[in-house]
Amino acid sequence: MRKNIIAGNWKMNTTLPEGLALAKGLNEALKGKSTKCDVIIGTPFTHLASVAAAIDTQRIGVAAQNCADKEKGAFTGEVSAAMVASTGAKYVILGHSERRQYYHETPEILKEKVKLALASGLKPIFCVGEVLAEREAGKHFEVVDAQLKGSLFDLSPEDFGKLIIAYEPVWAIGTGKTATADQAEEIHAHIRKTIANKYGKTIADDCTILYGGSMNGGNARDLVAKPDVDGGLIGGASLSVEKFMPIVEAF
Ligand code: PGA
């Protein structure tokens, strides 16, 4: 039941023409190819509608990288979940460590974002992960548990079943320093157990848990070979077709 997924997170990169070219290039590269995973690209808000119109969205899912914690109204500069859904995007990345760290997104704010995303029919890709000091203090298990419980564990089993979880150790993001496949497996198995304790074994077994943090064509195969690593959330290496395709083909 559970899906393998490779998702790109473009972050604040590419102008609209550059992003369109990248999306179309990936669309071409995937044409007629059978892969053992679903493919998603997380583009800037400004690109969503054009990218969704330019590619085969049955083949490549489109994701936003954020959405507002309010439904609508006088919130200048914000983009709502319903607006994201109206572009043709089907996913939204929420709780990325860069949002938590630089934009002070708390578990409570994220809880609202997840609720609104689900209400608009979007599938959240919800990120969790510890910083280096927490890993060194051996606190990584409790940190990810608190992140899951703080934002997600009020959801009904049906809604929780719509989520994709991404474990991203903050010390591995954009640093070139990946978690080893064994480190990833250890914490992914732990996350699955935490989910099982709350929602039961079937929902936990069906939940896709992605790894993120300096994943690339060289290390992807070892990571996705692990039983609890169901794919990846890819930053840097999602910005070129040449670097992204080997990760898609790692299964
Ligand atoms: P990275 O980013 O692959 O560049 O480390 C991953 C992410 O932040 O999602």
Side-chain angles (χ1 to χ4, degrees):
M1 276 282 291
R2 99 181 169 233
K3 279 188 173 164
N4 294 324
I5 297 172
I6 296 294
N9 173 13
W10 292 1
K11 308 193 180 184
M12 198 173 73
N13 292 296
T14 73
T15 60
L16 178 56
E18 288 164 354
L20 265 176
L22 175 56
K24 286 182 190 167
L26 185 63
N27 197 55
E28 268 315 298
L30 285 167
K31 211 170 258 172
K33 222 173 230 167
S34 72
T35 52
K36 298 201 180 81
C37 64
D38 287 0
V39 178
I40 297 171
I41 48 178
T43 83
F45 286 133
T46 45
H47 303 16
L48 292 172
S50 313
V51 164
I55 61 174
D56 175 4
T57 50
Q58 298 294 103
R59 192 72 186 84
I60 306 174
V62 179
Q65 302 169 18
N66 183 26
C67 69
D69 62 340
K70 305 286 192 301
E71 199 180 335
K72 63 174 171 182
F75 302 102
T76 302
E78 288 294 290
V79 176
S80 74
M83 291 173 190
V84 169
S86 73
T87 66
K90 297 273 184 283
Y91 302 87
V92 58
I93 300 168
L94 291 173
H96 192 281
S97 62
E98 288 151 16
R99 302 282 331 160
R100 292 177 190 265
Q101 191 182 342
Y102 306 141
Y103 301 97
H104 314 295
E105 294 193 359
T106 62
E108 292 70 33
I109 290 172
L110 292 170
K111 191 193 276 192
E112 288 309 307
K113 293 189 177 199
V114 168
K115 254 193 249 165
L116 290 165
L118 288 168
S120 291
L122 295 171
K123 262 176 164 299
I125 301 173
F126 188 83
C127 305
V128 297
E130 80 285 356
V131 300
L132 186 60
E134 292 163 340
R135 162 77 51 173
E136 285 174 348
K139 293 206 166 115
H140 40 298
F141 297 116
E142 58 187 274
V143 168
V144 298
D145 284 355
Q147 290 169 336
L148 293 169
K149 285 175 191 159
S151 300
L152 306 179
F153 279 9
D154 286 343
L155 292 173
S156 68
E158 194 196 340
D159 275 345
F160 188 89
K162 295 171 187 160
L163 303 179
I164 297 161
I165 305 293
Y167 166 68
E168 298 203 304
V170 180
W171 47 271
I173 295 176
T175 58
K177 203 174 152 193
T178 341
T180 64
D182 286 339
Q183 280 175 324
E185 173 57 22
E186 182 187 39
I187 195 149
H188 280 227
H190 172 85
I191 290 168
R192 205 178 298 286
K193 207 168 99 200
T194 300
I195 296 169
N197 288 340
K198 169 72 185 169
Y199 288 106
K201 189 171 169 355
T202 307
I203 286 179
D205 280 347
D206 286 349
C207 183
T208 295
I209 306 178
L210 309 179
Y211 167 80
S214 298
M215 197 161 165
N216 58 43
N219 56 35
R221 207 167 285 268
D222 281 351
L223 285 160
V224 302
K226 293 293 181 185
D228 288 297
V229 180
D230 309 313
L233 183 56
I234 320 300
S238 70
L239 291 171
S240 88
V241 176
E242 295 68 36
K243 288 188 178 149
F244 194 57
M245 277 305 288
I247 308 176
V248 171
E249 288 163 343
F251 285 96

